[in-house]
Amino acid sequence: ISYKFKMQPEVIDAISPLRFEDPEFGCVVEGLDLAKLDESTRSKCVELVYRYGLVIFRGQEKLSPHDELSFAKAFNHDTSGEQQSYTGGAAPQTKLPPPFDDIAVIGSFELNNYHGLASAKSGGVYPPWKKGQLSWHVDGYADTNPPPDLTVMRCIATPDVAGETLFRCARKQAARLAPTQTPPPPPPPSSSTAAVSSNGHLLLGDIPADCVRVRYRLAAEIEHRPMGYSLAWASNVRKADKGETYQQGNSGEGAALVNEANGTDWPLVLREPVTGQRTLSTTYHVASACVLDPLTGRVVRELGFHDANALVDEAWGVGGGGGAEHKKEEGALAEERAGGARSVPTTERHASVTEEEEEEEEGAGCPPPHPDVYAHAWEEGDLAAWSNRLVIHTATSTNLYAGQTRIHHRIRLRAAAEFTPEAWLSGGAHTAYEKAIHLR
């Protein structure tokens, strides 16, 4: 975290940064009780989140579920219905009973008589993950329209080692992508083949980032690309589930729900509505993409699954393999599956791990961090609040702390309509596209 503030609720204006390293990403707040905020202090906390993307409020052990919800609802959210929380997602979750059913309990735990829950048990968010697995995403991006603007997560219990959450500044990466100044090149001979450089890599130098739309969809089975920003393989579209199988936690893990079975379609580069800043926003559930004419919004190029996932990797500055490389990897995975490779009977499948690889990974954590990545080592009482338009994040493997308890409360309120992701590119191209395919 780049900033640390000493805040007193009585003297909210007396905020002083202790050190400066990165003026765009993250701050820590200490000495503030989020249960005792006046309106001025609450507004300042909201301002900090949108200014720095990610804020860690220390020392919040005594918050009640009511306090957590009151804080989260100080931010933009949809107030049109009783159920304000985003309930979809790629993983099961357990929620507290009403009136606190906007709060999910996540982690590795076995609970009894917990805030109204008779019992609840979870083996972790993604138990099959190998130890270095990452899944970079923004909450609700693949199955909710509009997706949550803010996520609030509070640490109730944390293992002695591991269990970190990784965050990356989306504004810094967007700044590395050149803004569109000229129309894109003409479409290639085949609309199913993306333009690639002479070495076969799909580069954003060939595809204007501001003109890209990415389509997302939750799949029943997936294989991640190595760095976790995209997919190498996906199969079987997840079906919509509005709550019939959703559990309140009294008989095991809740079911993972899908709000929009047809998926979502968002600009690659956004204009964050509060700050007006240019930002990059993706989730790893990439299905396809397309490139728009910046003047008319007409689709000039379609990108299939492999090229779209390669493009997302390129946007984040990782990978280096283009669509052809993705296809090669998918072919290898198909051969592996046909040859009887270990199958993981869960919602999400990940690359199979041999015994030799497990031995190599013993004691290993996540891949070497990118300079823009902050790994938050949770302390009990930490409450993290982040903007899903300014920050991308990922959990880390449950296998790193197998058998230990990890409990977090998480709130992801549905965004209001005016906070629907907006394209950075001005001129109406994305609006014309959205109207043409009935997104507006």
Side-chain angles (χ1 to χ4, degrees):
I1 293 288
S2 304
Y3 290 77
K4 185 178 288 186
F5 292 93
K6 293 290 186 181
M7 297 177 66
Q8 300 298 329
E10 301 83 6
V11 195
I12 189 65
D13 292 333
I15 301 174
S16 57
L18 298 181
R19 61 190 181 95
F20 291 83
E21 291 179 359
D22 184 342
E24 295 183 356
F25 185 36
C27 70
V28 174
V29 173
E30 296 179 294
L32 181 66
D33 185 349
L34 295 181
K36 300 177 180 178
L37 299 179
D38 58 29
E39 286 305 312
S40 175
T41 308
R42 193 184 305 273
S43 296
K44 193 65 178 180
C45 291
V46 172
E47 178 186 326
L48 287 177
V49 172
Y50 287 115
R51 181 178 178 186
Y52 300 112
L54 167 69
V55 181
I56 308 297
F57 295 91
R58 300 281 194 190
Q60 307 302 320
E61 295 93 336
K62 297 181 180 180
L63 291 189
S64 67
H66 177 271
D67 296 330
E68 293 175 293
L69 275 176
S70 295
F71 177 74
K73 289 181 179 181
F75 295 81
N76 151 66
H77 66 285
D78 180 12
T79 59
S80 61
E82 290 184 9
Q83 179 57 262
Q84 297 173 354
S85 63
Y86 157 64
T87 55
Q93 53 184 321
T94 296
K95 289 207 167 187
L96 296 181
F100 304 120
D101 48 338
D102 287 322
I103 300 176
V105 184
I106 60 172
S108 304
F109 52 77
E110 188 167 351
L111 303 173
N112 294 286
N113 300 317
Y114 184 80
H115 294 295
L117 287 177
S119 64
K121 183 178 181 181
S122 173
V125 179
Y126 301 114
W129 281 14
K130 61 182 183 180
K131 293 181 179 179
Q133 180 67 59
L134 301 176
S135 292
W136 290 98
H137 64 285
V138 293
D139 288 333
Y141 220 54
D143 75 324
T144 305
N145 183 10
D149 180 50
L150 177 85
T151 296
V152 172
M153 197 155 83
R154 183 167 73 99
C155 179
I156 309 301
T158 190
D160 296 332
V161 295
E164 297 90 350
T165 300
L166 275 57
F167 299 91
R168 183 169 177 182
C169 180
R171 289 175 292 188
K172 291 188 69 175
Q173 187 59 27
R176 297 185 176 103
L177 305 179
T180 299
Q181 296 178 339
T182 58
S190 172
S191 61
S192 63
T193 304
V196 296
S197 66
S198 58
N199 64 1
H201 289 178
L202 182 67
L203 301 175
L204 286 177
D206 296 326
I207 298 179
D210 292 332
C211 297
V212 171
R213 305 280 307 197
V214 183
R215 304 172 186 122
Y216 304 96
R217 184 176 293 180
L218 294 181
E221 295 181 306
I222 65 172
E223 302 277 1
H224 281 82
R225 290 277 287 170
M227 295 304 291
Y229 291 89
S230 63
L231 298 179
W233 174 82
S235 178
N236 299 327
V237 174
R238 294 263 293 279
K239 296 181 179 179
D241 187 338
K242 296 299 183 181
E244 290 80 0
T245 62
Y246 192 84
Q247 301 175 23
Q248 293 295 341
N250 56 357
S251 58
E253 294 183 3
L257 306 185
V258 178
N259 293 314
E260 300 287 345
N262 291 329
T264 57
D265 184 326
W266 306 119
L268 176 67
V269 183
L270 303 181
R271 185 183 306 273
E272 199 285 315
V274 176
T275 64
Q277 293 182 310
R278 188 169 181 259
T279 184
L280 177 65
S281 190
T282 68
T283 191
Y284 63 90
H285 303 284
V286 178
S288 63
C290 65
V291 184
L292 307 183
D293 183 296
L295 300 178
T296 67
R298 181 177 61 88
V299 175
V300 297
R301 190 176 308 171
E302 284 285 352
L303 306 180
F305 176 85
H306 304 286
D307 291 329
N309 278 275
L311 181 144
V312 168
D313 270 2
E314 290 286 341
W316 287 102
V318 300
E325 192 66 26
H326 275 245
K327 290 176 184 177
K328 180 179 178 182
E329 180 173 319
E330 194 275 343
L333 289 169
E335 291 180 8
E336 183 180 87
R337 287 190 294 274
R342 180 177 57 183
S343 177
V344 182
T346 58
T347 300
E348 297 200 9
R349 294 182 64 250
H350 302 275
S352 300
V353 184
T354 65
E355 292 181 4
E356 292 78 7
E357 289 172 328
E358 287 283 8
E359 291 175 359
E360 291 176 2
E361 289 178 351
E362 192 65 38
C366 298
H370 188 280
D372 294 350
V373 172
Y374 166 70
H376 183 62
W378 292 93
E379 298 178 11
E380 292 182 9
D382 284 355
L383 184 146
W386 66 88
S387 163
N388 283 301
R389 307 294 181 265
L390 299 175
V391 172
I392 190 171
H393 69 282
T394 177
T396 48
S397 175
T398 305
N399 288 324
L400 294 167
Y401 52 93
Q404 298 190 57
T405 296
R406 183 180 189 266
I407 305 172
H408 284 76
H409 287 184
R410 182 181 62 197
I411 303 172
R412 306 182 293 191
L413 299 179
R414 295 171 181 270
E418 60 268 25
F419 277 72
T420 299
E422 176 189 356
W424 171 261
L425 182 66
S426 60
H430 285 270
T431 300
Y433 168 84
E434 290 167 0
K435 288 181 178 179
I437 64 171
H438 307 296
L439 289 180
R440 286 180 180 258

